[in-house]
């Protein structure tokens, strides 16, 4: 009870809150998202609407020993109107409180009585809002590319981004998971070859296949990595991406600008809340929208259109009606076989994505 009293008497100090496209609406919420996506800021802003609340962060060492299943007595005694519990890892019995919000980084966690809400990393528009720099579009894109999409990324200098992201990962992941992530970085925008990662790590550390496969599954459950399926159900290979596209540069010396830009595009697509797939020729496919995306960042628009024309039969077979081609070249529109192809730079595409 002393711990609860201390937390109640010393709530987190208010901080400047920058509006996101996501809002907490409702009285019983389970907020999911990768560490660093902005869950805490969103929750603290929500709590500021209440004059009597209790905030518990289970990652705070000072919270050690709290019995979450015995909160009712304290809530009733203090007449608490809102309860927030951050960084929950396992199910609990919900206490009796008018407003409850719980945060977790685990996709697999479900709690009866709570409505799930997912918070993603900053999209391009949100980054611009947070960054507050009056640069032209191409420069803003470059800064986004370097810094990534975590909620604190706009406030980092270009020169501290890599070190900060490494520290961020080290603070929450053990040495094995860091090595796994570093290996996954070399498979970005490619089918994830877990066996090859196993062979790479086995040469340096003692490791079983089962342990590796479980750790990769855990990293996906924690939203650090995400995978997508091939459009052909008979092909089981999954492509892999980071939830923060800047992680590749922070974890690997191998440079692959196209893969990083593809990861940026993937992160933007997540806000559509639609299933995303791929084919051997089309980088991303959103079947529900009959929509495809080609990543051709270094091709002139004329050559990009020519490549699209060669793929028109394949796009027709997939039932696509629109294909956006992400390129740093000049915008251009063409139509082949009833499919519209739009060549445009990332910054134009991201602003127009709905």
């Amino acid at each position: 009870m002393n711990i609860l009293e201390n937390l109640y008497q010393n709530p987190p100090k208010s901080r400047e809150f920058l509006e996101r496209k996501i809002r907490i609406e409702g009285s019983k919420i389970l907020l999911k998202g990768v560490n660093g996506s902005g869950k805490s800021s969103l929750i603290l802003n929500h709590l500021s609407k209440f004059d009597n609340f209790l905030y518990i962060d289970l990652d705070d060492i000072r919270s050690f020993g709290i019995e979450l299943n015995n909160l009712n007595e304290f809530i009733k005694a203090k007449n608490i109107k809102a309860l927030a519990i951050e960084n929950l890892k396992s199910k609990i019995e919900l206490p009796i409180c008018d407003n409850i919000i719980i945060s977790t980084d685990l996709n697999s966690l479900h709690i009866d009585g709570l409505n799930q809400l997912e918070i993603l990393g900053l999209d391009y528009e949100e980054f611009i809002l947070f960054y507050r720099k009056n640069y032209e579009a191409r420069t803003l894109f470059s800064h986004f590319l370097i810094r990534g999409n975590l909620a604190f990324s706009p406030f980092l200098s270009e020169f501290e981004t890599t070190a900060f992201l490494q520290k961020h990962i080290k603070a929450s992941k053990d040495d094995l998971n860091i090595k796994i992530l570093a290996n996954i970085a070399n498979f970005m925008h490619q089918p994830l070859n877990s066996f090859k990662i196993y062979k790479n790590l086995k040469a340096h550390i003692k490791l079983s296949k089962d342990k590796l496969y479980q750790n990769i599954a855990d990293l996906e459950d924690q939203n650090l990595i995400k995978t997508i399926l091939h459009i052909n159900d008979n092909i089981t290979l999954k492509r892999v991406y980071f939830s923060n596209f800047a992680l590749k540069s922070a974890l690997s010396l191998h440079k692959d600008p196209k893969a990083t830009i593809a990861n940026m595009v993937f992160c933007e697509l997540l806000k559509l809340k639609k299933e995303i797939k791929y084919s051997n020729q089309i980088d991303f496919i959103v079947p529900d929208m009959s929509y495809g995306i080609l990543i051709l960042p270094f091709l002139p628009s004329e050559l990009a259109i020519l490549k699209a024309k060669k793929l028109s039969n394949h796009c027709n077979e997939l039932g696509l009606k629109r294909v956006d081609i992400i390129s740093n070249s000049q915008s251009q529109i063409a139509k082949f076989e009833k499919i519209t192809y739009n060549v445009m730079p990332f910054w134009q595409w991201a602003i127009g994505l709905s």
Side-chain angles (χ1 to χ4, degrees):
M1 191 69 74
N2 287 337
I3 299 176
L4 289 176
E5 184 66 34
N6 285 331
L7 293 174
Y8 177 69
Q9 295 295 339
N10 300 280
K13 297 186 186 304
S14 60
R15 63 180 79 166
E16 181 185 10
F17 179 72
L18 298 176
E19 287 288 340
R20 298 284 304 271
K21 292 181 178 180
I22 182 175
R23 288 192 177 124
I24 295 174
E25 297 176 342
S27 59
K28 302 289 194 302
I29 301 294
L30 178 60
L31 182 62
K32 295 183 175 183
V34 68
N35 285 337
S37 57
K39 298 189 298 294
S40 295
S41 294
L42 200 63
I43 288 173
L44 291 174
N45 180 66
H46 181 68
L47 289 177
S48 68
K49 303 171 186 176
F50 302 93
D51 57 6
N52 195 20
F53 64 85
L54 176 63
Y55 175 84
I56 301 170
D57 182 0
L58 298 178
D59 276 357
D60 188 333
I61 297 172
R62 297 169 297 179
S63 298
F64 179 76
I66 287 181
E67 293 291 338
L68 294 179
N69 290 322
N70 297 314
L71 290 173
N72 283 325
E73 182 181 344
F74 189 85
I75 291 172
K76 184 177 180 181
K78 299 294 184 180
N79 194 27
I80 289 170
K81 300 301 182 184
L83 169 69
I85 302 173
E86 288 236 62
N87 299 301
L88 189 68
K89 304 297 184 186
S90 58
K91 280 188 176 183
I92 62 168
E93 182 179 340
L94 286 182
I96 299 172
C97 188
D98 292 341
N99 297 275
I100 299 175
I101 180 164
I102 294 175
S103 78
T104 183
D105 64 344
L106 301 180
N107 280 326
S108 59
L109 183 62
H110 301 279
I111 299 178
D112 293 339
L114 296 182
N115 296 316
Q116 293 190 35
L117 179 66
E118 183 183 18
I119 182 170
L120 302 170
L122 301 176
D123 69 17
Y124 183 57
E125 286 183 299
E126 289 175 321
F127 175 84
I128 293 173
L129 175 66
F130 279 39
Y131 197 42
R132 297 177 175 175
K133 297 287 195 303
N134 190 25
Y135 296 149
E136 57 95 19
R138 187 181 295 272
T139 301
L140 285 171
F141 162 74
S142 299
H143 288 225
F144 188 43
L145 180 68
I146 292 168
R147 287 166 176 79
N149 63 359
L150 294 184
F152 52 74
S153 295
F155 310 106
L156 300 174
S157 74
E158 176 181 342
F159 307 103
E160 67 181 343
T161 299
T162 294
F164 195 97
L165 289 176
Q166 289 182 357
K167 289 178 182 178
H168 180 69
I169 290 295
K170 289 178 180 178
S172 60
K173 298 291 171 281
D174 61 21
D175 187 60
L176 175 58
N177 277 316
I178 292 170
K179 286 182 170 64
I180 293 173
L181 286 169
N183 273 266
I184 288 175
N186 295 323
F187 287 94
M188 198 57 47
H189 194 49
Q190 300 176 42
L192 178 61
N193 191 329
S194 300
F195 182 69
K196 189 170 182 179
I197 293 175
Y198 168 74
K199 289 200 299 181
N200 290 344
L201 292 176
K202 184 69 173 175
H204 303 283
I205 60 175
K206 185 177 180 180
L207 178 67
S208 69
K209 291 179 187 176
D210 289 344
K211 173 70 172 174
L212 172 68
Y213 298 159
Q214 182 58 56
N215 279 37
I216 291 176
D218 289 344
L219 291 171
E220 187 164 12
D221 188 36
Q222 295 159 13
N223 287 294
L224 269 168
I225 62 172
K226 293 181 177 290
T227 58
I228 61 174
L229 292 167
H230 197 282
I231 193 69
N232 184 341
D233 293 335
N234 295 321
I235 298 176
T236 59
L237 293 173
K238 296 180 180 181
R239 278 187 179 173
V240 64
Y241 302 91
F242 285 129
S243 58
N244 175 21
F245 52 83
L247 271 183
K248 177 173 173 55
S249 294
L251 295 173
S252 174
L253 292 173
H254 175 66
K255 304 299 180 185
D256 188 343
K258 178 181 176 179
T260 302
I261 293 173
N263 203 155
M264 290 178 75
V265 170
F266 172 75
C267 290
E268 292 288 320
L269 285 172
L270 290 174
K271 68 185 179 184
L272 296 176
K273 306 293 184 183
K274 301 280 189 182
E275 184 180 35
I276 305 168
K277 294 193 173 186
Y278 77 96
S279 77
N280 294 343
Q281 291 80 30
I282 307 296
D283 293 290
F284 299 109
I285 301 164
V286 185
D288 284 356
M289 299 172 63
S290 302
Y291 175 46
I293 295 179
L294 278 171
I295 311 296
L296 302 172
F298 311 115
L299 273 188
S301 56
E302 298 81 8
L303 294 180
I305 290 294
L306 183 61
K307 183 175 179 65
K309 186 175 183 180
K310 292 179 180 179
L311 292 173
S312 58
N313 287 338
H314 178 64
C315 293
N316 263 321
E317 291 171 1
L318 295 174
L320 302 182
K321 296 180 181 178
R322 171 183 149 201
V323 176
D324 286 345
I325 303 172
I326 309 303
S327 171
N328 289 336
S329 59
Q330 188 175 2
S331 299
Q332 189 172 336
I333 299 176
K335 195 164 187 176
F336 308 113
E337 302 291 336
K338 299 182 179 180
I339 302 172
T340 301
Y341 297 88
N342 301 282
V343 181
M344 66 186 86
F346 172 86
W347 52 90
Q348 179 182 335
W349 171 81
I351 294 295
L353 187 65
S354 58

